[in-house]
Amino acid sequence: MYALITAKPIVEKVRKAMNNVRQYLLTTIGTDENLRTIEINPTNFPKAVRELKQILLKIPNDYRIILVLTGGMRSLIIELLFAAILTQINAEIFMETEDGRRINIKNVKDILALLKNLTYEERRILKELIHSPQGVSELSRKLAIPKSTVYERLKRLCEIGLIFQRDDKKYVAKEIAKALI
């Protein structure tokens, strides 16, 4: 099953986007009969989030859920993201920024876990890496944290997918980290 969540009322621009989705399904899987359109009024944030939560909670656990949060009304995208986080469904998130960069989050549950479990030192390190790629020594000096501690925190941040290490041994924050800090 495929669900297309859109703002109501459906305007011409949305109708064209819906037709593009239908066309995509027809060309990739040969049918669009499993496409369900769900209209949400995005002007009432709490009500929209409640409605979206109810929709998400009805999806069977064995379904693969991918939330594609691109285009459309920002308020509806934020409402859907809130609903997904609050329901803690097992879903992937795909987002595309205005400049064409892609952000993939493997599981919605990871967002809450990251927010709850980052240490004070990890948050400080992430803030530094968001500004510029840096190595262990540089971070240790700037933040007045022992190199061994910086190294351990960087190792954990790499493991949970918020940063990566370049060939030059400097660490770089991923787009998802920028959204969290």
Side-chain angles (χ1 to χ4, degrees), residues 34-157:
N34 290 326
L35 178 63
R36 187 172 140 212
T37 301
I38 301 166
E39 295 179 43
I40 300 289
N41 182 348
T43 60
N44 182 333
F45 186 85
K47 183 178 179 191
V49 171
R50 273 194 309 275
E51 289 176 20
L52 290 164
K53 279 175 47 181
Q54 290 171 354
I55 291 164
L56 294 172
L57 289 170
K58 289 180 185 175
I59 300 171
N61 289 335
D62 58 339
Y63 278 41
R64 180 175 180 210
I65 303 169
I66 303 172
L67 301 175
V68 181
L69 306 177
T70 61
M73 295 184 73
R74 285 187 187 98
S75 58
L76 186 58
I77 290 170
I78 292 167
E79 290 159 349
L80 180 56
L81 186 56
F82 261 78
I85 291 169
L86 291 171
T87 58
Q88 297 186 40
I89 60 169
N90 186 21
E92 296 173 50
I93 297 176
F94 171 81
M95 294 180 276
E96 195 170 90
T97 62
E98 280 77 16
D99 62 1
R101 288 178 291 154
R102 294 180 175 179
I103 300 169
N104 292 302
I105 300 169
K106 295 295 179 197
N107 194 321
V108 171
K109 293 177 184 178
D110 293 345
I111 297 172
L112 278 180
L114 291 173
L115 291 174
K116 289 179 184 176
N117 295 322
L118 288 180
T119 66
Y120 175 70
E121 291 165 340
E122 289 166 343
R123 288 178 192 276
R124 290 180 65 207
I125 290 169
L126 275 178
K127 284 180 185 177
E128 283 296 319
L129 294 177
I130 285 169
H131 296 296
S132 66
Q134 297 174 53
V136 174
S137 296
E138 189 177 357
L139 286 165
S140 174
R141 189 178 63 258
K142 278 185 176 178
L143 300 172
I145 300 172
K147 283 184 185 179
S148 60
T149 303
V150 170
Y151 176 76
E152 288 301 316
R153 299 301 179 259
L154 289 168
K155 183 178 168 187
R156 182 172 179 279
L157 292 169

